[in-house]
Amino acid sequence: KNKNIFFKKKILIYGLGKSGLSTYQFLRKKSNLYLFDDKKSIIEKTEIKKKLISHNDIKNKEFDYIIISPGININKCLLAKYLKKNSNKINTDLDIFYSSYSENKNISITGTNGKSTTSKILYNVLKDQKFDVRLVGNIGNPILLEKNIKKNTIFVIEASSYQLEYSKLFRTTYAVILNISQDHLERHGTLRNYIKAKFKLVKNQTSRGIAFLNTNNLHIKKEIKKIKIISKIIRINKTINPKFLETINNPYFITEGNKENLSFVIEIAKKFNINQKNLLKTLKNFKGLKYRQQIIHRSKNLTIINDSKATSYSSSISILKSLTNVHWIVGGLAKQGDKFLLSKNDCKTFKAYIFGKDKRQFTKQLKNFMLCEHFTDLVLLIKKILFDIKKEKNNTHKIILFSPAAASFDNFKNFEDRGKYFNNLIKKLINV
């Protein structure tokens, strides 16, 4: 009954993070597995230690498949040479999933910004309509850990460019590309490669598939003209009926970025004959995800937003566009080739407070657009903002926006760690 091509094969699983371990769990009784990770020392489970293979032994073995974790950069890892030679054998957990469940409907969401939020809203919408729906991929469970899958189970998959780049068999019923702007160039090398990885989602669809594409986005518009697409394209152009927004009455959907996410959800929902009243209720109740344009304090004169997830300028711009009187906290590890694309006029009421390893670079880039000050640490920075706000005589509503527009690895484990740290600081320094 099961035509999974990965069963009864000799397989090397490379990378033992979440996705690698879930692949191991899924295949361990069905295939002959060997495990490898660049950092052997992090592995504690005896059962897994037993399956580890040494770098030298890999060269002498013939594997049918190499399942690689999205976090591995094949040009800069211990097995780089070996992988180049055997690139035709590389697959991902998405391929294994598809090999088992190709009949199930799946909605795969990718894009530079807004993937997690859009995936979560869509998941909530379908769940509230009583569909058997699973949220997997980058945001939820690794896809291979899902249990009790039936014919009518629907998957909402948040797919990263890394995962898509290595996948070979995976196909999606509904492909969603929210937007594309320059990102992850340190990994993909060029913008061209990055766009190609995202568009694999659409290129691999059959004629029965549907692609939801933001055709206002320059890179997406250009790409559609360049490549052959056989699936049906639904063009999304971001305008949402103001009456509809009023009915939802959720402050979360006031930013440009979240309106964009919402316009996709509304279009996709139409394919599932969704009850309008339930849809409104779900959207009204949507709280947003942690550290993504998350309002953590709101009073008469002050709103504080934690947007630690913003790791590039384009991500921060999506929220800056909809705000005024912003005390913007920015900085960390700058993204390669990143450009700030607002005009001086857009930034009239902004002031930037800059921290982190690349603070000089950020100051240099932003000082032409707004007032800038840089700090050795976040505590001093926040104290200075509070001092500046007190000093201002006017009664306008002030916004403190923590949207670093940079990677977090100079001082933090990841963006969640950074977001949590900011929340704790605010609790300490502001009498909320």
Side-chain angles (χ1 to χ4, degrees):
K1 182 187 144 228
N2 208 318
K3 56 185 189 319
N4 195 315
I5 60 165
F6 297 95
F7 292 170
K8 299 198 169 74
K9 294 288 196 298
K10 202 167 172 186
I11 294 177
L12 173 68
I13 297 175
Y14 183 17
L16 299 174
K18 267 192 198 167
S19 98
L21 290 176
S22 66
T23 302
Y24 168 72
Q25 287 304 334
F26 187 83
L27 291 176
R28 79 194 163 124
K29 291 184 176 146
K30 305 181 178 86
S31 299
N32 182 8
L33 303 179
Y34 296 82
L35 310 179
F36 187 82
D37 194 289
D38 288 4
K39 299 191 194 79
K40 263 215 285 285
S41 54
I42 58 168
I43 292 144
E44 282 159 14
K45 272 182 130 173
T46 337
E47 169 195 357
I48 286 169
K49 272 192 177 147
K50 276 188 197 149
K51 296 263 183 197
L52 286 174
I53 180 170
S54 76
H55 195 172
N56 286 334
D57 288 346
I58 286 177
K59 292 177 199 149
N60 311 323
K61 279 217 183 328
E62 266 299 311
F63 295 104
D64 298 309
Y65 295 105
I66 304 163
I67 305 299
I68 185 166
S69 288
I72 287 167
N73 182 345
I74 48 178
N75 303 313
K76 286 185 184 158
C77 58
L78 286 180
L79 300 185
K81 264 203 190 107
Y82 176 78
L83 293 175
K84 275 215 175 67
K85 245 193 348 235
N86 294 282
S87 65
N88 59 324
K89 294 179 179 176
I90 293 176
N91 286 87
T92 66
D93 58 346
L94 284 180
D95 294 329
I96 299 172
F97 159 80
Y98 187 74
S99 197
S100 272
Y101 304 111
S102 58
E103 299 303 309
N104 285 72
K105 272 190 186 165
N106 74 61
I107 306 159
S108 301
I109 298 174
T110 196
T112 307
N113 300 308
K115 293 188 287 291
S116 302
T117 301
T118 308
S119 302
K120 182 75 167 105
I121 300 170
L122 192 60
Y123 168 74
N124 288 1
V125 165
L126 294 172
K127 200 168 141 249
D128 292 348
Q129 306 273 339
K130 303 287 182 274
F131 283 100
D132 172 17
V133 58
R134 314 294 172 86
L135 183 60
V136 293
N138 248 4
I139 177 174
N141 241 343
I143 198 159
L144 293 175
L145 291 184
E146 287 299 321
K147 302 268 187 284
N148 307 325
I149 294 167
K150 304 176 195 59
K151 271 203 174 105
N152 62 352
T153 304
I154 300 167
F155 292 86
V156 174
I157 304 168
E158 183 194 320
S160 73
S161 53
Y162 300 164
Q163 256 177 322
L164 296 172
E165 186 177 30
Y166 296 149
S167 300
K168 293 203 171 87
L169 310 172
F170 177 71
R171 287 188 166 169
T172 183
T173 331
Y174 301 112
V176 180
I177 305 181
L178 301 170
N179 47 56
I180 293 179
S181 57
Q182 218 156 336
D183 200 9
H184 300 305
L185 296 196
E186 58 290 332
R187 167 80 174 258
H188 293 291
T190 64
L191 182 61
R192 184 81 216 103
N193 290 345
Y194 177 56
I195 293 171
K196 233 166 95 180
K198 295 278 189 206
F199 261 89
K200 237 174 135 170
L201 207 49
V202 180
K203 260 183 108 161
N204 290 353
Q205 285 186 298
T206 65
S207 56
R208 294 212 308 270
I210 297 177
F212 296 84
L213 304 174
N214 171 353
T215 44
N216 280 349
N217 181 285
L218 193 69
H219 298 303
I220 292 175
K221 217 189 213 151
K222 272 192 193 154
E223 195 63 16
I224 295 173
K225 291 195 181 113
K226 253 188 219 155
I227 63 172
K228 190 168 181 274
I229 297 173
I230 59 169
S231 52
K232 182 184 172 199
I233 295 179
I234 291 183
R235 294 162 191 267
I236 308 281
N237 54 10
K238 253 203 341 214
T239 42
I240 296 178
N241 185 333
K243 270 217 173 72
F244 186 79
L245 284 171
E246 254 169 60
T247 319
I248 301 171
N249 185 21
N250 184 340
Y252 187 75
F253 293 113
I254 58 171
T255 71
E256 289 302 308
N258 286 329
K259 277 184 196 158
E260 181 175 287
N261 300 339
L262 182 59
S263 57
F264 274 89
V265 170
I266 292 167
E267 280 306 314
I268 299 163
K270 289 178 185 166
K271 300 281 164 239
F272 291 87
N273 300 326
I274 268 164
N275 170 315
Q276 196 68 6
K277 225 165 85 184
N278 283 358
L279 174 68
L280 289 170
K281 197 170 135 197
T282 307
L283 297 175
K284 241 190 194 81
N285 295 333
F286 185 68
K287 289 282 182 288
L289 298 173
K290 269 191 166 165
Y291 320 130
R292 293 167 172 89
Q293 308 193 352
Q294 183 190 17
I295 297 171
I296 58 168
H297 169 75
R298 198 189 213 121
S299 61
K300 202 171 104 218
N301 297 329
L302 180 66
T303 298
I304 304 175
I305 300 169
N306 187 340
D307 190 30
S308 176
K309 178 66 170 80
T311 55
S312 65
Y313 277 138
S314 68
S315 186
S316 293
I317 285 169
S318 107
I319 183 166
L320 282 168
K321 270 193 201 143
S322 42
L323 303 173
T324 50
N325 303 319
V326 179
H327 298 269
W328 178 26
I329 307 170
V330 55
L333 285 177
K335 283 272 171 93
Q336 189 184 319
D338 204 7
K339 291 184 182 68
F340 184 70
L341 296 173
L342 285 180
S343 71
K344 209 168 170 171
N345 200 29
D346 292 324
C347 307
K348 284 200 298 273
T349 62
F350 299 168
K351 180 176 174 188
Y353 298 77
I354 300 167
F355 72 102
K357 186 166 182 252
D358 291 334
K359 52 180 177 282
R360 291 208 154 60
Q361 193 179 327
F362 277 100
T363 308
K364 205 172 131 187
Q365 284 172 328
L366 295 173
K367 67 174 198 279
N368 307 325
F369 297 92
M370 62 191 84
L371 273 172
C372 289
E373 241 184 295
H374 60 79
F375 299 81
T376 46
D377 75 74
L378 272 169
V379 180
L380 294 171
L381 183 154
I382 292 168
K383 284 184 169 161
K384 178 64 166 65
I385 292 183
L386 296 174
F387 176 75
D388 286 352
I389 286 177
K390 275 213 177 77
K391 229 174 41 186
E392 288 176 25
K393 288 287 177 280
N394 58 3
N395 268 342
T396 52
H397 189 88
K398 315 281 188 304
I399 289 169
I400 298 176
L401 172 66
F402 181 61
S403 185
S408 55
F409 312 120
D410 53 343
N411 287 310
F412 303 95
K413 274 211 304 275
N414 48 34
F415 79 86
E416 286 100 342
D417 188 36
R418 173 168 74 182
K420 210 159 137 187
Y421 178 77
F422 178 75
N423 279 358
N424 289 336
L425 275 188
I426 292 296
K427 274 196 190 107
K428 273 193 205 118
L429 297 171
I430 293 185
N431 311 323
V432 179

